[in-house]
Amino acid sequence: MTTDKKEFSPQQLDRIIEMAWEDRTPFEAIRYQFGLPEKEMIVLMRGQLKTTSFKRWRKRVNSGISQKHLKKRHPDINRFKCSRQRAITGNKISKR
């Protein structure tokens, strides 16, 4: 883990947590967009979620359902978003 602590705005933090809960968003996408590796992501989630929610998230990530790790994905899936989702613009945080 790096020694420098990353600071995120409330909107960025909300988006990171949302991406972490999504099954199809791999850790690599979060790292690419926010520079947050998996180990730091776990620390962030532990600090932001209630204990029961964090345990539920970790259990889900490590289950066979989640595809949070690219190694668990089927090789035909080569995207970070659903094929029916609108194209992502140059913005780092999606508009709601």
Side-chain angles (χ1 to χ4, degrees):
M1 201 175 327
T2 60
T3 55
D4 62 298
K5 180 131 172 115
K6 292 179 176 61
E7 295 293 325
F8 297 106
S9 70
Q11 293 84 8
Q12 288 175 320
L13 231 121
D14 183 48
R15 182 64 183 139
I16 291 168
I17 293 170
E18 184 180 359
M19 290 174 77
W21 273 104
E22 294 169 347
D23 286 334
R24 289 189 162 224
T25 305
F27 285 117
E28 290 80 4
I30 297 169
R31 183 179 200 151
Y32 175 78
Q33 194 165 7
F34 295 100
L36 199 63
E38 182 180 353
K39 287 187 178 188
E40 290 181 27
M41 180 80 221
I42 293 168
V43 171
L44 182 134
M45 293 294 278
R46 186 174 306 209
Q48 294 295 317
L49 301 177
K50 294 186 282 184
T51 304
T52 53
S53 298
F54 174 75
K55 288 179 182 177
R56 190 176 314 129
W57 175 73
R58 286 299 292 158
K59 186 176 181 181
R60 186 173 181 92
V61 166
N62 292 322
S63 72
I65 296 170
S66 177
Q67 297 177 4
K68 294 302 283 181
H69 299 91
L70 286 178
K71 291 179 182 178
K72 287 184 178 181
R73 283 184 164 204
H74 192 276
D76 291 343
I77 301 174
N78 59 359
R79 62 189 185 282
F80 289 151
K81 64 181 185 69
C82 177
S83 60
R84 295 176 304 278
Q85 185 177 346
R86 279 192 255 156
I88 296 175
T89 64
N91 295 334
K92 288 204 168 207
I93 299 174
S94 65
K95 297 174 186 168
R96 295 179 194 222

